[in-house]
Amino acid sequence: MTNVAKHSQASQCAVSVVRVGDVLHVQVADDGRGGAHLGKGHGLAGLADRLAGVDGRLDVVSPPAGGTTVTAELPIPAASTAR
């Protein structure tokens, strides 16, 4: 959301959070100027690194002048029954 506010020049933004099986899908989409990428040293690359640390992944679709959709997928660990 911070990237949308600071960089996208978007007029609209939508957030979706959905659990599908053992995976949590979080998606942020805007109608801004596009051009976001996962280049080293950029905020999205850091987010991708953090997600990778918990076996998640980040996908960015952001064509120039076409808005941006960022999707994070996070595995939901099985509940432990051992005590």
Side-chain angles (χ1 to χ4, degrees), residues 12-45:
Q12 294 183 17
C13 178
V15 177
S16 170
V17 180
V18 178
R19 180 179 180 165
V20 178
D22 292 338
V23 179
L24 185 67
H25 299 265
V26 180
Q27 187 174 78
V28 178
D30 69 49
D31 65 349
R33 62 186 179 103
H37 58 87
L38 290 171
K40 188 164 180 67
H42 293 268
L44 290 173

PDB file of all heavy atoms in Angstrom, residues 12-45:
ATOM      1  N   GLN A  12      -7.100   4.268  -8.041  1.00  0.00           N
ATOM      2  CA  GLN A  12      -7.799   3.203  -7.342  1.00  0.00           C
ATOM      3  C   GLN A  12      -6.825   2.092  -6.978  1.00  0.00           C
ATOM      4  O   GLN A  12      -5.843   1.856  -7.684  1.00  0.00           O
ATOM      5  CB  GLN A  12      -8.901   2.601  -8.215  1.00  0.00           C
ATOM      6  CG  GLN A  12     -10.019   3.541  -8.523  1.00  0.00           C
ATOM      7  CD  GLN A  12     -11.113   2.853  -9.325  1.00  0.00           C
ATOM      8  OE1 GLN A  12     -11.195   1.634  -9.386  1.00  0.00           O
ATOM      9  NE2 GLN A  12     -11.958   3.656  -9.937  1.00  0.00           N
ATOM     10  N   CYS A  13      -7.136   1.399  -5.883  1.00  0.00           N
ATOM     11  CA  CYS A  13      -6.335   0.271  -5.435  1.00  0.00           C
ATOM     12  C   CYS A  13      -7.274  -0.734  -4.780  1.00  0.00           C
ATOM     13  O   CYS A  13      -8.210  -0.342  -4.089  1.00  0.00           O
ATOM     14  CB  CYS A  13      -5.278   0.754  -4.438  1.00  0.00           C
ATOM     15  SG  CYS A  13      -4.256  -0.551  -3.774  1.00  0.00           S
ATOM     16  N   ALA A  14      -7.017  -2.016  -5.027  1.00  0.00           N
ATOM     17  CA  ALA A  14      -7.833  -3.072  -4.420  1.00  0.00           C
ATOM     18  C   ALA A  14      -6.911  -4.071  -3.739  1.00  0.00           C
ATOM     19  O   ALA A  14      -5.837  -4.385  -4.243  1.00  0.00           O
ATOM     20  CB  ALA A  14      -8.673  -3.774  -5.484  1.00  0.00           C
ATOM     21  N   VAL A  15      -7.353  -4.568  -2.587  1.00  0.00           N
ATOM     22  CA  VAL A  15      -6.597  -5.564  -1.833  1.00  0.00           C
ATOM     23  C   VAL A  15      -7.483  -6.791  -1.657  1.00  0.00           C
ATOM     24  O   VAL A  15      -8.656  -6.669  -1.311  1.00  0.00           O
ATOM     25  CB  VAL A  15      -6.181  -5.026  -0.452  1.00  0.00           C
ATOM     26  CG1 VAL A  15      -5.452  -6.095   0.347  1.00  0.00           C
ATOM     27  CG2 VAL A  15      -5.324  -3.784  -0.602  1.00  0.00           C
ATOM     28  N   SER A  16      -6.889  -7.953  -1.899  1.00  0.00           N
ATOM     29  CA  SER A  16      -7.602  -9.209  -1.747  1.00  0.00           C
ATOM     30  C   SER A  16      -6.757 -10.160  -0.905  1.00  0.00           C
ATOM     31  O   SER A  16      -5.551 -10.270  -1.117  1.00  0.00           O
ATOM     32  CB  SER A  16      -7.847  -9.827  -3.132  1.00  0.00           C
ATOM     33  OG  SER A  16      -8.336 -11.144  -3.019  1.00  0.00           O
ATOM     34  N   VAL A  17      -7.388 -10.818   0.055  1.00  0.00           N
ATOM     35  CA  VAL A  17      -6.724 -11.825   0.879  1.00  0.00           C
ATOM     36  C   VAL A  17      -7.614 -13.063   0.862  1.00  0.00           C
ATOM     37  O   VAL A  17      -8.759 -13.004   1.308  1.00  0.00           O
ATOM     38  CB  VAL A  17      -6.507 -11.339   2.324  1.00  0.00           C
ATOM     39  CG1 VAL A  17      -5.807 -12.408   3.148  1.00  0.00           C
ATOM     40  CG2 VAL A  17      -5.724 -10.032   2.343  1.00  0.00           C
ATOM     41  N   VAL A  18      -7.067 -14.173   0.318  1.00  0.00           N
ATOM     42  CA  VAL A  18      -7.849 -15.389   0.153  1.00  0.00           C
ATOM     43  C   VAL A  18      -7.006 -16.594   0.550  1.00  0.00           C
ATOM     44  O   VAL A  18      -5.836 -16.682   0.156  1.00  0.00           O
ATOM     45  CB  VAL A  18      -8.313 -15.560  -1.314  1.00  0.00           C
ATOM     46  CG1 VAL A  18      -9.087 -16.849  -1.506  1.00  0.00           C
ATOM     47  CG2 VAL A  18      -9.129 -14.373  -1.760  1.00  0.00           C
ATOM     48  N   ARG A  19      -7.607 -17.499   1.298  1.00  0.00           N
ATOM     49  CA  ARG A  19      -6.934 -18.762   1.602  1.00  0.00           C
ATOM     50  C   ARG A  19      -7.459 -19.822   0.644  1.00  0.00           C
ATOM     51  O   ARG A  19      -8.670 -20.016   0.511  1.00  0.00           O
ATOM     52  CB  ARG A  19      -7.216 -19.181   3.041  1.00  0.00           C
ATOM     53  CG  ARG A  19      -6.539 -20.488   3.387  1.00  0.00           C
ATOM     54  CD  ARG A  19      -6.794 -20.900   4.803  1.00  0.00           C
ATOM     55  NE  ARG A  19      -6.128 -22.165   5.086  1.00  0.00           N
ATOM     56  CZ  ARG A  19      -5.935 -22.638   6.303  1.00  0.00           C
ATOM     57  NH1 ARG A  19      -6.355 -21.951   7.350  1.00  0.00           N
ATOM     58  NH2 ARG A  19      -5.322 -23.791   6.463  1.00  0.00           N
ATOM     59  N   VAL A  20      -6.525 -20.503  -0.029  1.00  0.00           N
ATOM     60  CA  VAL A  20      -6.864 -21.615  -0.904  1.00  0.00           C
ATOM     61  C   VAL A  20      -6.061 -22.813  -0.422  1.00  0.00           C
ATOM     62  O   VAL A  20      -4.835 -22.849  -0.581  1.00  0.00           O
ATOM     63  CB  VAL A  20      -6.536 -21.293  -2.386  1.00  0.00           C
ATOM     64  CG1 VAL A  20      -6.857 -22.486  -3.263  1.00  0.00           C
ATOM     65  CG2 VAL A  20      -7.278 -20.057  -2.855  1.00  0.00           C
ATOM     66  N   GLY A  21      -6.733 -23.742   0.217  1.00  0.00           N
ATOM     67  CA  GLY A  21      -6.036 -24.902   0.785  1.00  0.00           C
ATOM     68  C   GLY A  21      -5.044 -24.453   1.837  1.00  0.00           C
ATOM     69  O   GLY A  21      -5.403 -23.771   2.791  1.00  0.00           O
ATOM     70  N   ASP A  22      -3.799 -24.815   1.641  1.00  0.00           N
ATOM     71  CA  ASP A  22      -2.744 -24.475   2.597  1.00  0.00           C
ATOM     72  C   ASP A  22      -1.907 -23.274   2.157  1.00  0.00           C
ATOM     73  O   ASP A  22      -0.749 -23.140   2.555  1.00  0.00           O
ATOM     74  CB  ASP A  22      -1.827 -25.685   2.803  1.00  0.00           C
ATOM     75  CG  ASP A  22      -2.543 -26.819   3.515  1.00  0.00           C
ATOM     76  OD1 ASP A  22      -3.543 -26.552   4.203  1.00  0.00           O
ATOM     77  OD2 ASP A  22      -2.104 -27.974   3.383  1.00  0.00           O
ATOM     78  N   VAL A  23      -2.485 -22.411   1.318  1.00  0.00           N
ATOM     79  CA  VAL A  23      -1.762 -21.239   0.827  1.00  0.00           C
ATOM     80  C   VAL A  23      -2.616 -19.989   1.015  1.00  0.00           C
ATOM     81  O   VAL A  23      -3.805 -19.979   0.693  1.00  0.00           O
ATOM     82  CB  VAL A  23      -1.388 -21.394  -0.667  1.00  0.00           C
ATOM     83  CG1 VAL A  23      -0.667 -20.166  -1.182  1.00  0.00           C
ATOM     84  CG2 VAL A  23      -0.539 -22.644  -0.890  1.00  0.00           C
ATOM     85  N   LEU A  24      -1.993 -18.939   1.547  1.00  0.00           N
ATOM     86  CA  LEU A  24      -2.632 -17.634   1.680  1.00  0.00           C
ATOM     87  C   LEU A  24      -2.187 -16.774   0.508  1.00  0.00           C
ATOM     88  O   LEU A  24      -0.988 -16.621   0.259  1.00  0.00           O
ATOM     89  CB  LEU A  24      -2.230 -16.975   3.003  1.00  0.00           C
ATOM     90  CG  LEU A  24      -2.915 -15.653   3.314  1.00  0.00           C
ATOM     91  CD1 LEU A  24      -4.402 -15.882   3.559  1.00  0.00           C
ATOM     92  CD2 LEU A  24      -2.263 -15.001   4.519  1.00  0.00           C
ATOM     93  N   HIS A  25      -3.147 -16.232  -0.236  1.00  0.00           N
ATOM     94  CA  HIS A  25      -2.873 -15.372  -1.386  1.00  0.00           C
ATOM     95  C   HIS A  25      -3.250 -13.941  -1.010  1.00  0.00           C
ATOM     96  O   HIS A  25      -4.390 -13.679  -0.623  1.00  0.00           O
ATOM     97  CB  HIS A  25      -3.711 -15.789  -2.596  1.00  0.00           C
ATOM     98  CG  HIS A  25      -3.452 -17.185  -3.060  1.00  0.00           C
ATOM     99  ND1 HIS A  25      -2.571 -17.473  -4.064  1.00  0.00           N
ATOM    100  CD2 HIS A  25      -3.952 -18.369  -2.640  1.00  0.00           C
ATOM    101  CE1 HIS A  25      -2.541 -18.782  -4.258  1.00  0.00           C
ATOM    102  NE2 HIS A  25      -3.371 -19.343  -3.407  1.00  0.00           N
ATOM    103  N   VAL A  26      -2.296 -13.041  -1.117  1.00  0.00           N
ATOM    104  CA  VAL A  26      -2.535 -11.627  -0.846  1.00  0.00           C
ATOM    105  C   VAL A  26      -2.218 -10.878  -2.135  1.00  0.00           C
ATOM    106  O   VAL A  26      -1.114 -10.998  -2.679  1.00  0.00           O
ATOM    107  CB  VAL A  26      -1.645 -11.106   0.302  1.00  0.00           C
ATOM    108  CG1 VAL A  26      -1.914  -9.636   0.556  1.00  0.00           C
ATOM    109  CG2 VAL A  26      -1.857 -11.927   1.565  1.00  0.00           C
ATOM    110  N   GLN A  27      -3.186 -10.120  -2.621  1.00  0.00           N
ATOM    111  CA  GLN A  27      -2.989  -9.411  -3.883  1.00  0.00           C
ATOM    112  C   GLN A  27      -3.334  -7.934  -3.714  1.00  0.00           C
ATOM    113  O   GLN A  27      -4.345  -7.582  -3.109  1.00  0.00           O
ATOM    114  CB  GLN A  27      -3.865 -10.023  -4.972  1.00  0.00           C
ATOM    115  CG  GLN A  27      -3.604  -9.450  -6.350  1.00  0.00           C
ATOM    116  CD  GLN A  27      -4.379 -10.195  -7.401  1.00  0.00           C
ATOM    117  OE1 GLN A  27      -5.572  -9.968  -7.554  1.00  0.00           O
ATOM    118  NE2 GLN A  27      -3.706 -11.094  -8.099  1.00  0.00           N
ATOM    119  N   VAL A  28      -2.466  -7.086  -4.250  1.00  0.00           N
ATOM    120  CA  VAL A  28      -2.699  -5.645  -4.286  1.00  0.00           C
ATOM    121  C   VAL A  28      -2.626  -5.230  -5.753  1.00  0.00           C
ATOM    122  O   VAL A  28      -1.630  -5.504  -6.434  1.00  0.00           O
ATOM    123  CB  VAL A  28      -1.642  -4.867  -3.460  1.00  0.00           C
ATOM    124  CG1 VAL A  28      -1.893  -3.367  -3.554  1.00  0.00           C
ATOM    125  CG2 VAL A  28      -1.653  -5.326  -2.006  1.00  0.00           C
ATOM    126  N   ALA A  29      -3.686  -4.601  -6.244  1.00  0.00           N
ATOM    127  CA  ALA A  29      -3.738  -4.174  -7.644  1.00  0.00           C
ATOM    128  C   ALA A  29      -4.120  -2.704  -7.707  1.00  0.00           C
ATOM    129  O   ALA A  29      -4.969  -2.241  -6.941  1.00  0.00           O
ATOM    130  CB  ALA A  29      -4.750  -5.015  -8.419  1.00  0.00           C
ATOM    131  N   ASP A  30      -3.477  -1.974  -8.611  1.00  0.00           N
ATOM    132  CA  ASP A  30      -3.809  -0.558  -8.785  1.00  0.00           C
ATOM    133  C   ASP A  30      -3.909  -0.220 -10.260  1.00  0.00           C
ATOM    134  O   ASP A  30      -3.525  -1.002 -11.122  1.00  0.00           O
ATOM    135  CB  ASP A  30      -2.793   0.345  -8.071  1.00  0.00           C
ATOM    136  CG  ASP A  30      -1.419   0.346  -8.701  1.00  0.00           C
ATOM    137  OD1 ASP A  30      -1.301   0.511  -9.932  1.00  0.00           O
ATOM    138  OD2 ASP A  30      -0.426   0.197  -7.957  1.00  0.00           O
ATOM    139  N   ASP A  31      -4.438   0.965 -10.535  1.00  0.00           N
ATOM    140  CA  ASP A  31      -4.580   1.432 -11.916  1.00  0.00           C
ATOM    141  C   ASP A  31      -3.553   2.525 -12.233  1.00  0.00           C
ATOM    142  O   ASP A  31      -3.794   3.387 -13.054  1.00  0.00           O
ATOM    143  CB  ASP A  31      -6.001   1.933 -12.168  1.00  0.00           C
ATOM    144  CG  ASP A  31      -6.353   3.166 -11.347  1.00  0.00           C
ATOM    145  OD1 ASP A  31      -5.588   3.531 -10.413  1.00  0.00           O
ATOM    146  OD2 ASP A  31      -7.402   3.779 -11.620  1.00  0.00           O
ATOM    147  N   GLY A  32      -2.412   2.456 -11.596  1.00  0.00           N
ATOM    148  CA  GLY A  32      -1.389   3.489 -11.736  1.00  0.00           C
ATOM    149  C   GLY A  32      -0.554   3.377 -12.995  1.00  0.00           C
ATOM    150  O   GLY A  32      -0.909   2.712 -13.961  1.00  0.00           O
ATOM    151  N   ARG A  33       0.615   4.000 -12.924  1.00  0.00           N
ATOM    152  CA  ARG A  33       1.467   4.140 -14.110  1.00  0.00           C
ATOM    153  C   ARG A  33       2.258   2.893 -14.461  1.00  0.00           C
ATOM    154  O   ARG A  33       2.876   2.824 -15.521  1.00  0.00           O
ATOM    155  CB  ARG A  33       2.410   5.320 -13.945  1.00  0.00           C
ATOM    156  CG  ARG A  33       3.380   5.196 -12.798  1.00  0.00           C
ATOM    157  CD  ARG A  33       4.169   6.499 -12.641  1.00  0.00           C
ATOM    158  NE  ARG A  33       5.070   6.396 -11.532  1.00  0.00           N
ATOM    159  CZ  ARG A  33       6.381   6.197 -11.649  1.00  0.00           C
ATOM    160  NH1 ARG A  33       6.925   6.091 -12.835  1.00  0.00           N
ATOM    161  NH2 ARG A  33       7.137   6.124 -10.587  1.00  0.00           N
ATOM    162  N   GLY A  34       2.262   1.883 -13.605  1.00  0.00           N
ATOM    163  CA  GLY A  34       2.982   0.642 -13.907  1.00  0.00           C
ATOM    164  C   GLY A  34       4.488   0.827 -13.832  1.00  0.00           C
ATOM    165  O   GLY A  34       4.988   1.817 -13.317  1.00  0.00           O
ATOM    166  N   GLY A  35       5.204  -0.164 -14.319  1.00  0.00           N
ATOM    167  CA  GLY A  35       6.661  -0.102 -14.349  1.00  0.00           C
ATOM    168  C   GLY A  35       7.346  -0.594 -13.089  1.00  0.00           C
ATOM    169  O   GLY A  35       8.562  -0.514 -12.973  1.00  0.00           O
ATOM    170  N   ALA A  36       6.600  -1.152 -12.119  1.00  0.00           N
ATOM    171  CA  ALA A  36       7.217  -1.697 -10.911  1.00  0.00           C
ATOM    172  C   ALA A  36       7.988  -2.965 -11.276  1.00  0.00           C
ATOM    173  O   ALA A  36       7.623  -3.680 -12.205  1.00  0.00           O
ATOM    174  CB  ALA A  36       6.153  -2.010  -9.868  1.00  0.00           C
ATOM    175  N   HIS A  37       9.075  -3.243 -10.537  1.00  0.00           N
ATOM    176  CA  HIS A  37       9.858  -4.440 -10.815  1.00  0.00           C
ATOM    177  C   HIS A  37      10.569  -4.918  -9.560  1.00  0.00           C
ATOM    178  O   HIS A  37      10.635  -4.214  -8.557  1.00  0.00           O
ATOM    179  CB  HIS A  37      10.854  -4.196 -11.950  1.00  0.00           C
ATOM    180  CG  HIS A  37      11.803  -3.071 -11.681  1.00  0.00           C
ATOM    181  ND1 HIS A  37      12.978  -3.234 -11.003  1.00  0.00           N
ATOM    182  CD2 HIS A  37      11.724  -1.755 -11.990  1.00  0.00           C
ATOM    183  CE1 HIS A  37      13.592  -2.069 -10.903  1.00  0.00           C
ATOM    184  NE2 HIS A  37      12.852  -1.153 -11.485  1.00  0.00           N
ATOM    185  N   LEU A  38      11.109  -6.127  -9.649  1.00  0.00           N
ATOM    186  CA  LEU A  38      11.781  -6.761  -8.513  1.00  0.00           C
ATOM    187  C   LEU A  38      13.288  -6.525  -8.534  1.00  0.00           C
ATOM    188  O   LEU A  38      14.042  -7.325  -8.005  1.00  0.00           O
ATOM    189  CB  LEU A  38      11.513  -8.274  -8.529  1.00  0.00           C
ATOM    190  CG  LEU A  38      10.092  -8.689  -8.191  1.00  0.00           C
ATOM    191  CD1 LEU A  38       9.885 -10.166  -8.454  1.00  0.00           C
ATOM    192  CD2 LEU A  38       9.774  -8.358  -6.755  1.00  0.00           C
ATOM    193  N   GLY A  39      13.750  -5.437  -9.128  1.00  0.00           N
ATOM    194  CA  GLY A  39      15.179  -5.159  -9.212  1.00  0.00           C
ATOM    195  C   GLY A  39      15.838  -5.042  -7.854  1.00  0.00           C
ATOM    196  O   GLY A  39      15.249  -4.532  -6.898  1.00  0.00           O
ATOM    197  N   LYS A  40      17.075  -5.535  -7.782  1.00  0.00           N
ATOM    198  CA  LYS A  40      17.839  -5.495  -6.535  1.00  0.00           C
ATOM    199  C   LYS A  40      17.926  -4.060  -6.021  1.00  0.00           C
ATOM    200  O   LYS A  40      18.136  -3.124  -6.769  1.00  0.00           O
ATOM    201  CB  LYS A  40      19.238  -6.063  -6.765  1.00  0.00           C
ATOM    202  CG  LYS A  40      20.034  -6.227  -5.493  1.00  0.00           C
ATOM    203  CD  LYS A  40      21.225  -7.145  -5.726  1.00  0.00           C
ATOM    204  CE  LYS A  40      22.037  -7.331  -4.489  1.00  0.00           C
ATOM    205  NZ  LYS A  40      21.359  -8.048  -3.425  1.00  0.00           N
ATOM    206  N   GLY A  41      17.742  -3.910  -4.719  1.00  0.00           N
ATOM    207  CA  GLY A  41      17.807  -2.594  -4.107  1.00  0.00           C
ATOM    208  C   GLY A  41      16.474  -1.866  -4.057  1.00  0.00           C
ATOM    209  O   GLY A  41      16.381  -0.775  -3.521  1.00  0.00           O
ATOM    210  N   HIS A  42      15.447  -2.476  -4.604  1.00  0.00           N
ATOM    211  CA  HIS A  42      14.120  -1.872  -4.576  1.00  0.00           C
ATOM    212  C   HIS A  42      13.276  -2.566  -3.514  1.00  0.00           C
ATOM    213  O   HIS A  42      13.524  -3.716  -3.144  1.00  0.00           O
ATOM    214  CB  HIS A  42      13.446  -1.989  -5.954  1.00  0.00           C
ATOM    215  CG  HIS A  42      14.133  -1.182  -7.005  1.00  0.00           C
ATOM    216  ND1 HIS A  42      13.770   0.103  -7.303  1.00  0.00           N
ATOM    217  CD2 HIS A  42      15.184  -1.466  -7.797  1.00  0.00           C
ATOM    218  CE1 HIS A  42      14.563   0.575  -8.251  1.00  0.00           C
ATOM    219  NE2 HIS A  42      15.428  -0.365  -8.571  1.00  0.00           N
ATOM    220  N   GLY A  43      12.256  -1.890  -3.033  1.00  0.00           N
ATOM    221  CA  GLY A  43      11.431  -2.411  -1.951  1.00  0.00           C
ATOM    222  C   GLY A  43      10.774  -3.739  -2.256  1.00  0.00           C
ATOM    223  O   GLY A  43      10.659  -4.603  -1.384  1.00  0.00           O
ATOM    224  N   LEU A  44      10.330  -3.940  -3.496  1.00  0.00           N
ATOM    225  CA  LEU A  44       9.679  -5.200  -3.838  1.00  0.00           C
ATOM    226  C   LEU A  44      10.662  -6.367  -3.786  1.00  0.00           C
ATOM    227  O   LEU A  44      10.279  -7.482  -3.423  1.00  0.00           O
ATOM    228  CB  LEU A  44       9.030  -5.108  -5.219  1.00  0.00           C
ATOM    229  CG  LEU A  44       7.802  -4.195  -5.297  1.00  0.00           C
ATOM    230  CD1 LEU A  44       7.340  -4.046  -6.738  1.00  0.00           C
ATOM    231  CD2 LEU A  44       6.683  -4.712  -4.416  1.00  0.00           C
ATOM    232  N   ALA A  45      11.921  -6.130  -4.119  1.00  0.00           N
ATOM    233  CA  ALA A  45      12.927  -7.196  -4.030  1.00  0.00           C
ATOM    234  C   ALA A  45      13.118  -7.619  -2.582  1.00  0.00           C
ATOM    235  O   ALA A  45      13.241  -8.815  -2.284  1.00  0.00           O
ATOM    236  CB  ALA A  45      14.253  -6.737  -4.634  1.00  0.00           C
TER     237      ALA A  45
END
